[in-house]
């Protein structure tokens, strides 16, 4: 998340990209909250730094759940723009929310990841609501295709991470859905946490 994740991200695109390059990343995904404000600048920076820049967004669904969407191609970018527009049109100005019922219409060209600990799937497995979790996985694999939906594992060194990840791993094996490990990054160096706390 860059500083285009308003009130949440504490580093610029340049700071994030240069730091990622310094520590040996070959690719980085920009998934700001409910917007693509930094997408064009991010694409140019990626090219200039010879890194793979992956454009996406962390979309807020109704119920305040998060879902991570990545654009695979132009069609995916177009569909992501449509979904974000729908989210902003149907809610209060500073609180966009997307009705999940709109997702099936706009899945072409998109990869979906189940989201951070605030994702609906993460919440369901944490609450041991297994039947609902399985149903949600079936919905997402039906909508996006099994090859375009991943269960997202994050270890942010916060209480509950290990237990949640074990349950997601078990669900992945049971449902035959692939896993992806992600980092919920909000700043490029540790010292920047003070600014992020203020935000």
């Amino acid at each position: 998340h860059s500083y285009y994740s308003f009130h949440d991200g504490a580093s610029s695109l340049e700071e994030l990209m240069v730091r990622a390059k310094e520590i040996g990343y070959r690719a980085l995904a920009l998934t700001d909250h409910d917007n693509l404000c930094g997408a064009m600048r991010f694409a140019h920076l990626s090219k200039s730094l010879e890194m793979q820049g992956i454009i996406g967004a962390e979309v807020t669904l109704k119920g305040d759940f998060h879902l991570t969407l990545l654009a695979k191609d132009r069609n995916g970018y177009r569909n992501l723009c449509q979904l974000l527009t729908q989210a902003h049109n149907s809610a209060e100005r500073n609180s966009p929310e997307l009705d999940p019922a709109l997702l099936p219409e706009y899945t072409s060209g998109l990869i979906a990841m189940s989201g951070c600990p605030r994702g609906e799937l993460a919440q369901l497995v944490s609450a041991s609501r297994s039947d609902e979790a399985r149903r949600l996985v079936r919905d997402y694999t039906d909508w996006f295709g099994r090859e375009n939906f991943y269960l997202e594992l994050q270890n942010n060194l916060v209480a509950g991470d290990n237990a949640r990840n074990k349950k997601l791993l078990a669900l992945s094996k049971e449902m035959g859905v692939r896993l992806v490990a992600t980092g919920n990054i909000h700043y490029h160096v540790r010292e920047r946490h003070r600014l992020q706390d203020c935000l």
Side-chain angles (χ1 to χ4, degrees), residues 80 119 132:
L80 183 55
E132 293 169 81

Side-chain angles (χ1 to χ4, degrees), residues 164-175:
R164 182 185 62 255
N165 286 337
K166 286 179 183 176
K167 290 178 180 180
L168 286 168
L169 177 60
L171 185 62
S172 165
K173 290 177 180 175
E174 178 187 344
M175 303 291 291

Side-chain angles (χ1 to χ4, degrees), residues 126 153-169:
S126 293
L153 303 181
Q154 289 189 357
N155 190 343
N156 300 305
L157 305 178
V158 176
D161 282 351
N162 289 337
R164 182 185 62 255
N165 286 337
K166 286 179 183 176
K167 290 178 180 180
L168 286 168
L169 177 60

Side-chain angles (χ1 to χ4, degrees), residues 48-159:
S48 69
L49 291 170
E50 298 179 346
M51 289 181 65
Q52 181 184 4
I54 302 165
I55 294 173
E58 190 168 15
V59 179
T60 304
L61 302 176
K62 281 193 175 173
D64 202 28
F65 298 120
H66 292 179
L67 181 70
T68 310
L69 298 175
L70 305 175
K72 294 196 303 186
D73 52 32
R74 283 185 185 197
N75 191 39
Y77 183 81
R78 186 181 306 113
N79 281 328
L80 183 55
C81 288
Q82 288 286 344
L83 290 168
L84 290 171
T85 298
Q86 295 283 349
H88 283 274
N89 282 344
S90 63
E92 295 295 318
R93 184 174 184 272
N94 293 320
S95 304
E97 279 191 332
L98 180 69
D99 184 345
L102 296 171
L103 285 170
E105 187 179 346
Y106 298 104
T107 59
S108 177
L110 288 175
I111 291 173
M113 300 188 300
S114 61
C116 66
R118 288 184 55 190
E120 185 176 8
L121 189 64
Q123 298 281 318
L124 289 172
V125 299
S126 293
S128 298
R129 294 163 60 185
S130 303
D131 289 341
E132 293 169 81
R134 288 186 198 96
R135 191 174 313 116
L136 188 60
V137 169
R138 279 193 291 274
D139 285 344
Y140 283 132
T141 55
D142 287 347
W143 299 339
F144 289 91
R146 190 167 297 276
E147 70 283 359
N148 293 317
F149 177 65
Y150 294 80
L151 299 190
E152 192 170 349
L153 303 181
Q154 289 189 357
N155 190 343
N156 300 305
L157 305 178
V158 176

Side-chain angles (χ1 to χ4, degrees), residues 1-74:
H1 302 290
S2 76
Y3 58 20
Y4 290 110
S5 285
F6 305 114
H7 306 293
D8 192 27
S11 293
S12 69
L13 294 170
E14 290 82 356
E15 289 169 326
L16 291 164
M17 293 292 289
V18 168
R19 181 64 181 142
K21 181 85 171 179
E22 285 173 358
I23 58 178
Y25 282 31
R26 293 177 291 154
L28 191 68
L30 180 67
T31 58
D32 280 316
H33 289 290
D34 300 305
N35 78 76
L36 293 167
C37 295
M40 186 62 69
R41 179 74 184 136
F42 180 72
H44 290 301
L45 281 168
S46 301
K47 192 171 186 179
S48 69
L49 291 170
E50 298 179 346
M51 289 181 65
Q52 181 184 4
I54 302 165
I55 294 173
E58 190 168 15
V59 179
T60 304
L61 302 176
K62 281 193 175 173
D64 202 28
F65 298 120
H66 292 179
L67 181 70
T68 310
L69 298 175
L70 305 175
K72 294 196 303 186
D73 52 32
R74 283 185 185 197

